[in-house]
Amino acid sequence: MTSRDGTPVRVGVFGLLGSGNLGNDGSLEAVLGYLRAEHPEAVVEALCGGPEVVAARYGIRATRLHWYRGEYRTASRAGAVAAKGLGKVVDAFRTAAWVRRHDVVIVPGMGVLEATLPLRPWGFPYALFLLCASGRLFGTRVALAGVGAAPIGDRATRALVRWSARLASFRSYRDDLSRDAMRAMGVDTARDAVHPDLAFALPAPSATDPGSAGPVCVGVMDFHGGNDDRARAEEIHRRYLDGTTRFVRALAEDGRPVRLLTGDECDRQVVDAILDAVDSPLVTASEAASLTDLMKETAAASTVVATRYHNLICALKSGTPTLALSYAAKSDALMARMGLDAYCHPAREVDAGRLLEQFRELERRSTELRRTLAERNLAATGQVRRQFAAMTASLFPMTDPAHAHAHAPQESP
């Protein structure tokens, strides 16, 4: 893709990418797939959390998001506090300079407009605000593509998120709840569309039904509640871990093989705790390093029980009956979109007995639910294609018209 003056269009991607979260990286992979398929001549680079990983894995130039490398560690000593404060000033200039070099910057999905997990306003919300403000200042189109949003209690975080959204050139959301949340914050969402999560654009493994012979995949999370739960974070975590461990033990005692899945590097400690507590050869841990790997795991499973949002997407996209250990409204909305809203269980109050009852009911309806998921996945894939077409029309008006027409996504009749 070239601009009207013949120079390659410069596209940036921005976010906590390459930092160990498989969902974030899967969203990036989906957007890179779109750019390479529809705008192959674009020059793409990233401003991200893990530039070495992004550069090595995706073959694009990458720059570290924050000048201060300890940005997401708690600063207690005076020197660390001063360095973090200085980093905020330096990052304002670094971000502005990076944005100015680009024609378009895409924030690929992720829950960048929410605080459903612990979050400080001067961390990523501040970084996102710098991005969007720089885009407005220098005329760079900034797209918040397929992002998640939710009501935010903290005033400073809410203000930064609201202004980031207002300053963006393009916004789309992964569910109606996200768009409603931004409207409630005072953002004009009249022209903002809702589409399925970007990860639905990733290729899915061949659908199979392993029946009862397949393992039960249990996706776990280092869950301590949300931004408003800091005072009882350890209590929430203990209850989640205890209930999940009891559930896994019951499956193993019933002779069912269990495969433990993660979605972030920090989840590994939960896997280790469950393996130590259950101590059964039937319980094993996956080493999946991408959403593609996770989809292969879930496609081979008879049933999935998962906590992380993108673990759920991988299971649903692979067509496997899924039960959500839901920690936020976004998980409930996803399950409803895919026709499985009856199979949600609160992650804050895991009751192993009730969870087993829901699990058994899910398995009894497995054949029916697999048909439902096949239909819903077909619809989701078409909707994500339409989102990419809308992004092209909004973000790349300088594209040569003949080239744009030749690469326009084609809908199935």
Side-chain angles (χ1 to χ4, degrees):
M1 179 186 62
T2 58
S3 61
R4 293 192 185 278
D5 65 5
T7 60
V9 173
R10 299 159 300 176
V11 180
V13 289
F14 176 95
L16 293 177
L17 311 166
S19 300
N21 184 286
L22 302 187
N24 291 0
D25 290 354
S27 298
L28 170 62
E29 187 176 340
V31 165
L32 291 178
Y34 150 67
L35 291 172
R36 287 166 177 163
E38 309 302 333
H39 309 295
E41 296 171 21
V43 177
V44 183
E45 64 176 272
L47 184 62
C48 59
E52 298 86 1
V53 172
V54 168
R57 184 175 296 167
Y58 302 110
I60 61 176
R61 181 180 175 184
T63 302
R64 186 171 298 279
L65 179 59
H66 299 290
W67 173 79
Y68 179 56
R69 290 176 178 260
E71 175 61 39
Y72 293 103
R73 294 195 296 268
T74 301
S76 55
R77 292 183 299 199
V81 172
K84 184 172 282 194
L86 176 61
K88 303 302 177 190
V89 178
V90 175
D91 284 345
F93 290 96
R94 291 176 70 252
T95 302
W98 183 83
V99 170
R100 192 175 187 178
R101 296 199 303 266
H102 295 87
D103 301 297
V104 174
V105 175
I106 300 173
V107 180
M110 306 176 287
V112 296
L113 302 178
E114 63 182 52
T116 51
L117 296 177
L119 183 71
R120 299 293 188 189
W122 306 114
F124 188 78
Y126 174 71
L128 183 66
F129 171 73
L130 291 179
L131 173 79
C132 296
S134 299
R136 181 61 64 93
L137 179 64
F138 297 116
T140 299
R141 297 176 181 86
V142 174
L144 307 180
V147 298
I152 297 173
D154 180 77
R155 182 177 297 177
T157 303
R158 187 170 63 248
L160 288 166
V161 163
R162 179 173 61 246
W163 278 105
S164 296
R166 284 176 172 173
L167 292 167
S169 303
F170 175 94
R171 293 182 300 269
S172 63
Y173 306 99
R174 63 190 180 190
D175 52 46
D176 290 314
L177 292 173
S178 296
R179 183 169 60 183
D180 292 345
M182 295 314 298
R183 183 184 299 122
M185 286 187 214
V187 177
D188 181 1
T189 62
R191 299 177 62 187
D192 299 351
V194 173
H195 302 278
D197 190 89
L198 291 172
F200 279 99
L202 296 174
S206 300
T208 58
D209 184 354
S212 59
V216 178
C217 283
V218 178
V220 301
M221 179 178 178
D222 185 25
F223 179 60
H224 293 75
N227 216 40
D228 298 329
D229 298 318
R230 292 178 183 273
R232 49 192 291 263
E234 288 309 312
E235 174 195 344
I236 289 171
H237 180 67
R238 283 195 302 272
R239 183 171 295 177
Y240 169 79
L241 180 58
D242 179 66
T244 305
T245 301
R246 289 174 184 270
F247 174 70
V248 170
R249 182 182 291 116
L251 291 176
E253 289 174 350
D254 201 31
R256 301 294 298 271
V258 177
R259 191 78 165 150
L260 299 177
L261 308 180
T262 62
D264 194 291
E265 290 175 356
C266 66
D267 300 334
R268 184 67 208 189
Q269 59 190 321
V270 178
V271 168
D272 292 341
I274 293 174
L275 290 174
D276 289 343
V278 177
D279 191 25
S280 166
L282 289 172
V283 183
T284 57
S286 166
E287 298 295 333
S290 67
L291 292 194
T292 298
D293 291 344
L294 282 175
M295 278 190 270
K296 291 176 181 176
E297 294 271 9
T298 57
S302 62
T303 316
V304 177
V305 178
T307 311
R308 280 198 180 272
Y309 185 76
H310 281 94
N311 275 194
L312 292 173
I313 287 180
C314 288
L316 296 166
K317 184 170 172 57
S318 66
T320 303
T322 302
L323 198 160
L325 288 175
S326 176
Y327 67 89
K330 63 184 179 183
S331 299
D332 299 337
L334 171 65
M335 295 293 283
R337 177 191 284 273
M338 301 303 287
L340 275 73
D341 43 315
Y343 300 101
C344 294
H345 190 95
R348 284 173 174 77
E349 305 284 345
V350 178
D351 180 328
R354 172 60 183 146
L355 186 58
L356 278 166
E357 290 176 7
Q358 290 180 289
F359 171 79
R360 288 167 182 148
E361 181 188 347
L362 182 75
E363 290 211 310
R364 283 195 295 270
R365 296 182 60 200
S366 177
T367 301
E368 170 196 349
L369 294 175
R370 284 179 180 274
R371 286 196 297 267
T372 298
L373 287 172
E375 295 169 0
R376 300 295 174 97
N377 275 310
L378 186 62
T381 300
Q383 290 165 347
V384 174
R385 285 200 197 104
R386 287 194 286 276
Q387 171 163 222
F388 288 146
M391 287 169 61
T392 291
S394 177
L395 300 175
F396 304 113
M398 75 290 287
T399 304
D400 175 69
H403 183 280
H405 179 75
H407 288 273
Q410 299 298 311
E411 293 288 340
S412 299

